[in-house]
């Protein structure tokens, strides 16, 4: 069983829809990261959180430590949000800087 | 300046070539990382430098040789690579130390093809 599970693997939405991507993990963590990767490579760190909720523009990330679950929400989705969204966790006592990555959720937002 | 700059963006090399990938940041970050990413897979950590010292080498073959000449620069020297080494190579940095609760700043990557 993977230590970090994301769902769904693929998601297609119409512009303007509210989107939720889920991440579940099975280990004790120091932090959870949400990353965005557009086609062609570069990765952008969207959020790093260890408790509660963070908001940046149309993006909201929540984490429930007891349930070992995090969600990334996108409100009023736009075609430019089309990307792969990756959940990654850092372990307590893990190798320095070594994150465990989920397999990613590929999001396509149609105009 | 909140960027991590990687050069070149694309690289094609033969199995006998020697080449280098370069990564630069001017955010005063003291931890820098090399990741390898195959298509449709998550990144895999290769090396971590913390305060310009190599702190992690994740069992990477010796044909990959990292170098950190100063706190702003990170190089990855390539020699005698194999076709299976073709991948996107990503550099990242974080502010204070190589820890899993530090926000990572990624470069746009070097797409490497080994023929």
């Amino acid at each position: 069983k993977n230590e970090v599970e994301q769902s769904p693997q693929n998601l297609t939405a119409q512009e303007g829809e509210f989107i939720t991507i889920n991440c579940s993990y099975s280990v004790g963590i120091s932090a959870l990261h949400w990353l965005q990767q557009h086609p062609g490579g570069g990765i952008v760190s969207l959020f790093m959180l260890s408790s509660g909720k963070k908001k940046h523009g149309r993006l909201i990330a929540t984490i429930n430590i007891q349930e070992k679950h995090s969600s990334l929400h996108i409100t009023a989705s736009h075609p430019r949000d089309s990307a792969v969204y990756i959940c990654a966790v850092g372990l307590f006592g893990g190798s320095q800087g070594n994150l465990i990555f989920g397999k990613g959720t590929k999001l396509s937002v149609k105009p | 300046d909140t960027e991590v700059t990687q050069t070149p963006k694309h690289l094609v090399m033969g199995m006998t070539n020697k080449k280098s990938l370069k990564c630069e940041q001017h955010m005063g970050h003291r931890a820098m990382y090399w990741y390898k990413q195959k298509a449709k897979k998550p990144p895999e950590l290769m090396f971590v430098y913390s305060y310009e010292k190599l702190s992690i080498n994740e069992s990477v073959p010796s044909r990959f040789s990292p170098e950190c000449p100063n706190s702003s620069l990170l190089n990855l020297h390539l020699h005698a690579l194999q076709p299976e080494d073709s991948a996107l190579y990503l550099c990242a940095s974080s502010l204070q130390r190589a820890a899993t609760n530090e926000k990572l700043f990624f470069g746009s990557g070097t797409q490497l093809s080994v023929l």
Side-chain angles (χ1 to χ4, degrees):
Chain A
K1 183 181 185 300
N2 290 334
E3 290 168 306
V4 179
E5 298 271 3
Q6 282 187 241
S7 63
Q9 283 188 308
N10 293 283
L11 181 56
T12 300
Q14 286 299 128
E15 184 173 356
E17 284 185 1
F18 180 84
I19 287 161
T20 296
I21 299 170
N22 295 300
C23 176
S24 296
Y25 54 92
S26 58
V27 294
I29 67 168
S30 60
L32 183 141
H33 302 250
W34 280 105
L35 310 170
Q36 180 195 54
Q37 187 169 31
H38 282 283
I43 292 177
V44 174
S45 177
L46 299 174
F47 296 103
M48 186 188 69
L49 62 168
S50 53
S51 65
K53 177 180 174 177
K54 288 190 176 181
K55 184 175 189 292
H56 181 68
R58 294 180 295 106
L59 301 178
I60 302 166
T62 63
I63 188 168
N64 185 318
I65 297 293
Q66 286 73 31
E67 294 185 5
K68 293 186 166 61
H69 181 269
S70 176
S71 293
L72 176 68
H73 305 287
I74 305 175
T75 61
S77 60
H78 190 275
R80 65 175 174 266
D81 297 326
S82 298
V84 175
Y85 292 83
I86 303 170
C87 170
V89 301
L91 303 182
F92 275 126
S95 297
Q96 292 178 343
N98 198 357
L99 302 177
I100 300 176
F101 292 86
K103 293 185 177 179
T105 295
K106 185 176 180 182
L107 172 65
S108 297
V109 181
K110 307 293 186 189
Chain B
D1 184 356
T2 57
E3 277 193 357
V4 175
T5 304
Q6 286 189 245
T7 55
K9 291 198 185 306
H10 297 91
L11 179 62
V12 179
M13 61 186 289
M15 289 190 283
T16 58
N17 292 157
K18 284 185 183 182
K19 298 285 185 184
S20 295
L21 309 185
K22 182 179 169 183
C23 174
E24 198 165 358
Q25 56 84 17
H26 296 287
M27 296 179 279
H29 288 181
R30 301 313 299 270
M32 296 185 77
Y33 312 75
W34 280 116
Y35 286 88
K36 173 183 176 181
Q37 187 179 25
K38 301 285 272 185
K40 299 187 192 296
K41 298 285 187 187
E44 299 171 19
L45 185 66
M46 299 175 73
F47 300 106
V48 180
Y49 274 84
S50 187
Y51 289 83
E52 297 150 58
K53 287 187 168 35
L54 182 64
S55 64
I56 292 190
N57 174 344
E58 291 286 340
S59 302
V60 179
S62 59
R63 56 186 184 268
F64 295 92
S65 174
E67 179 197 19
C68 190
N70 59 57
S71 60
S72 299
L73 271 177
L74 185 65
N75 297 320
L76 186 61
H77 303 297
L78 314 172
H79 173 55
L81 294 194
Q82 304 296 309
E84 60 264 29
D85 297 321
S86 298
L88 180 70
Y89 288 84
L90 289 158
C91 174
S93 68
S94 60
L95 180 60
Q96 291 188 337
R97 65 194 189 282
T100 57
N101 57 354
E102 289 270 331
K103 181 176 178 179
L104 290 175
F105 292 76
F106 285 87
S108 56
T110 294
Q111 187 65 54
L112 174 68
S113 297
V114 181
L115 304 178

